Amino acid sequence: LVCSGGRQSMLLMFLRHSSTAFTLARAPVLNGHPLAPATRARHHAVVAREIAFVAQSEARCEPFAATRARPLGDWFAQEDALRILMSQAESCRRLDEDAPPGSETQRWEVVTPIEFPGMVARSVTPMDIRVDAAADRPTLSISSGASETQCSGGPGWAQALLSRIGEIATTVSSNTVDVQEDEGGGLTVVSRVKLTVKLSIPTLLLPPFVPAGPFERSGSESLQKLLDRDMGTVLGRFREGYLTWATGD
């Protein structure tokens, strides 16, 4: 799911909606660091504080019955199935088109736009997908690589900040999509996501006497909303895609 695998796009979304992040975004781009305050060369390096935003979510689709003629595992390996999981992005494309058929790993690229006042930032993220196409209990494991941010419009300092956001942020994420059986014998597709984003913020903008807790709670809530917003809908489309594909329509 791009909403969980596109880590930098989620960070950009947080910057777009968080008043705390908006304050940070207004900091000048000086001294080779997007958040560094104006200092003379003889001053010591800026000391930074680290704050962490954490979110996790589980979503599932409505139960359905798989067909023997076209196993669910075969659907998990279809490019159309993966495109559905990445359908919240502006665009997606496979990067390893020369990979042999039936390959357990695939590499994709997704592009996610985030609109700011007067400008648009696009997060370009490579995604590594491992497919375990077991007939009855297939699994997808999705992980994101280092993202690149491309900006258009807006002031130069804002473009510089967003294009270098990876220098002040580190992320750890995991996303597993698998299949479970309910009490009635029906199958349901389940996605489990955990995301942690850490920002290194100069103490000039977040002094030691200011508690980090409120910032971390606000950021974590923003990320949680992003995780929860679309995952159920996407899994519903994934379910419908399989049922259509399985009947040959």
Side-chain angles (χ1 to χ4, degrees):
L1 298 172
V2 70
C3 57
S4 58
R7 298 173 298 178
Q8 186 162 346
S9 64
M10 296 194 70
L11 178 57
L12 289 172
M13 286 287 285
F14 167 71
L15 287 172
R16 171 66 179 82
H17 294 290
S18 169
S19 58
T20 300
F22 180 73
T23 299
L24 301 179
R26 296 186 64 182
V29 182
L30 298 170
N31 303 321
H33 193 289
L35 290 181
T39 60
R40 297 182 183 274
R42 65 175 181 271
H43 288 183
H44 295 293
V46 176
V47 178
R49 292 180 65 185
E50 186 175 88
I51 60 176
F53 312 127
V54 181
Q56 56 187 343
S57 182
E58 178 177 310
R60 62 185 62 227
C61 70
E62 293 294 324
F64 62 96
T67 67
R68 294 183 178 275
R70 307 195 82 173
L72 189 56
D74 291 350
W75 169 244
F76 268 54
Q78 296 293 314
E79 287 193 11
D80 286 346
L82 299 178
R83 289 183 185 279
I84 290 175
L85 292 179
M86 293 181 282
S87 61
Q88 299 303 308
E90 180 180 62
S91 63
C92 66
R93 66 186 182 99
R94 188 168 179 181
L95 299 178
D96 58 344
E97 295 181 350
D98 57 345
S103 175
E104 292 183 355
T105 60
Q106 298 185 25
R107 188 167 178 83
W108 289 70
E109 178 185 84
V110 297
V111 178
T112 306
I114 309 296
E115 294 187 3
F116 291 80
M119 67 180 297
V120 177
R122 285 181 168 82
S123 176
V124 182
T125 306
M127 303 187 72
D128 293 311
I129 302 175
R130 177 173 293 277
V131 182
D132 179 356
D136 297 327
R137 295 291 185 273
T139 301
L140 291 173
S141 299
I142 304 173
S143 60
S144 302
S147 299
E148 173 189 354
T149 303
Q150 302 173 353
C151 301
S152 58
W157 66 263
Q159 292 190 28
L161 169 66
L162 295 175
S163 64
R164 298 176 60 187
I165 195 68
E167 298 179 16
I168 65 167
T170 57
T171 59
V172 177
S173 67
S174 63
N175 182 17
T176 301
V177 181
D178 58 18
V179 178
Q180 294 183 357
E181 184 175 354
D182 65 11
E183 296 179 354
L187 300 178
T188 182
V189 179
V190 182
S191 174
R192 298 179 185 85
V193 180
K194 183 174 182 179
L195 174 66
T196 301
V197 178
K198 295 182 179 180
L199 292 179
S200 181
I201 301 176
T203 54
L204 180 66
L205 299 176
L206 189 61
F209 59 83
V210 176
F215 294 97
E216 292 182 323
R217 284 193 295 273
S218 175
S220 296
E221 289 173 0
S222 296
L223 289 182
Q224 189 67 52
K225 290 178 181 178
L226 292 174
L227 285 181
D228 293 340
R229 186 182 62 186
D230 296 322
M231 291 176 61
T233 300
V234 172
L235 288 179
R237 293 182 57 198
F238 186 81
R239 170 187 180 275
E240 294 303 317
Y242 166 70
L243 294 175
T244 300
W245 174 80
T247 57
D249 294 341

